[in-house]
Amino acid sequence: MGTGQGLLTGVVEESFIENILRFNKGKVGTFYFTYQGNNRWNAMVYQGRVETAGRDHIIISDPASGKRYLLLMANLDWVEFDERINYPHTEISPAVQASLETSD
């Protein structure tokens, strides 16, 4: 589930949730999940430290108990951090930047 942004160089930058979570490894966040078709509960909130993330999963650990959770991305609604979120930015070459400034 990524979004792509085309650059003038023909390169496409892709941001995927797992990449953003990897850039925030070690940070504590609150993770909101929804589980459809469950009549006992359909939403869960987990708080934990980002250990790692893959294309379809997240592993977080509870700093208080040390308990670890393997969670599926398909059920993830959103994540909240109490600090700045690191985001993987792609550098734009000076030539491309200059062409963007002159096209106004």
Side-chain angles (χ1 to χ4, degrees):
M1 290 198 219
T3 60
Q5 177 179 343
L7 302 176
L8 293 178
T9 59
V11 175
V12 175
E13 175 195 271
E14 291 186 312
S15 352
F16 290 95
I17 297 296
E18 71 265 16
N19 293 340
I20 297 167
L21 289 171
R22 281 189 210 121
F23 268 82
N24 290 279
K25 182 177 177 179
K27 291 186 179 183
V28 174
T30 305
F31 300 78
Y32 296 86
F33 287 80
T34 302
Y35 301 92
Q36 295 178 347
N38 191 329
N39 60 7
R40 291 185 54 216
W41 47 262
N42 67 357
M44 294 287 291
V45 178
Y46 301 89
Q47 186 161 12
R49 183 174 316 281
V50 177
E51 298 283 331
T52 192
R55 177 86 63 195
D56 65 348
H57 66 279
I58 310 163
I59 298 175
I60 63 171
S61 61
D62 181 340
S65 69
K67 190 178 216 177
R68 288 183 164 69
Y69 298 92
L70 172 62
L71 303 166
L72 298 178
M73 289 281 200
N75 300 319
L76 179 65
D77 294 321
W78 76 89
V79 180
E80 294 176 352
F81 291 101
D82 289 335
E83 58 186 293
R84 183 182 172 143
I85 297 172
N86 295 328
Y87 190 81
H89 292 287
T90 303
E91 293 294 322
I92 299 176
S93 75
V96 171
Q97 185 64 40
S99 71
L100 291 173
E101 292 168 0
T102 60
S103 65
D104 290 336

